[in-house]
């Protein structure tokens, strides 16, 4: 990415999601929260890592690495990253194929899981993962990203998408590369 001498870039390293938390925000920089229920393990979504140019607003992001979704009662959470974050996989438990959260895309947040009219997770939004819903067990929080992943309803959540602004030379856009807190490395020739 071309920069000029003296220019300020703003770096936000995403925070890891946490397990067995209730009503607290997800991982720093957009991770979705989870709702705890009946003693089952659950997890918040991880926050995105990004670089901002020209200001600190979401609209100033020029590089975004999406965060992973949080675990719910059923299935595996989706990895963050890629043009489209990974959907959660509802195998291994849960309440049907609709209960898991979808990954964020380049133009919209991932769709939140649905268990019943009274129990459904929220969709991801620009920069923010959706909130899980417990449905008598627990639903994971969506991963933060360019657009966040959808929360899980009784199930796991989707991952957030990555993004590269025009003019950024994209080298790789893989999913599931990092675990724990986000990491940004800045280098120059």
């Amino acid at each position: 990415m071309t920069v000029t001498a003296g220019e300020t870039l703003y770096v936000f390293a995403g925070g890891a999601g946490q397990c067995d938390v209730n009503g607290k925000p997800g991982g720093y920089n957009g991770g979705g929260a989870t709702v705890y229920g009946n003693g089952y393990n659950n997890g918040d979504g991880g926050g995105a890592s990004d670089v901002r140019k020209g200001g600190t607003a979401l609209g100033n992001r020029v590089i975004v690495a999406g965060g992973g979704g949080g675990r719910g009662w059923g299935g595996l959470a989706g990895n963050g990253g890629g043009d489209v974050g990974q959907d959660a996989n509802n195998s291994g438990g849960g309440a049907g194929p609709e209960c898991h959260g979808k990954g964020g895309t380049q133009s919209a947040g991932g769709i939140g899981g649905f268990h019943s009219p009274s129990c459904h997770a929220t969709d991801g939004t620009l920069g923010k993962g959706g909130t899980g819903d417990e449905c008598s067990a627990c639903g994971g929080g969506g991963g933060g990203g360019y657009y966040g992943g959808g929360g899980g309803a009784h199930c796991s959540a989707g991952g957030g998408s990555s993004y590269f602004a025009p003019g950024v030379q994209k080298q790789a856009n893989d999913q599931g590369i990092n675990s724990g807190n986000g990491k940004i490395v800045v280098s120059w020739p």
Side-chain angles (χ1 to χ4, degrees):
M1 177 176 65
T2 302
V3 295
T4 58
E7 183 177 12
T8 299
L9 299 176
Y10 301 89
V11 177
F12 294 80
Q18 300 178 50
C19 291
D20 297 328
V21 292
N22 186 27
K24 296 181 180 178
Y28 174 74
N29 205 26
T34 185
V35 177
Y36 180 79
N38 286 353
Y40 293 102
N41 292 329
N42 61 330
D44 287 338
S49 295
D50 65 64
V51 178
R52 306 180 193 195
K53 186 175 179 180
T56 59
L58 288 177
N60 295 110
R61 297 180 297 172
V62 293
I63 300 173
V64 180
R71 179 177 177 243
W73 179 71
L76 301 173
N79 288 318
D83 290 334
V84 177
Q86 187 179 44
D87 294 347
N89 179 338
N90 73 321
S91 63
E98 308 86 18
C99 71
H100 64 283
K102 305 289 187 183
T105 72
Q106 294 297 293
S107 59
I111 297 170
F114 178 86
H115 180 264
S116 68
S118 63
C119 182
H120 51 85
T122 64
D123 297 344
T125 60
L126 183 69
K128 178 76 175 161
T131 301
D133 200 347
E134 65 172 323
C135 311
S136 78
C138 59
Y146 182 58
Y147 278 92
H154 199 77
C155 291
S156 297
S161 62
S162 292
Y163 170 76
F164 297 89
V168 173
Q169 297 179 14
K170 180 171 28 173
Q171 300 297 318
N173 193 5
D174 300 321
Q175 294 179 332
I177 298 299
N178 187 60
S179 63
N181 291 320
K183 177 174 66 175
I184 295 177
V185 178
V186 178
S187 61
W188 57 93

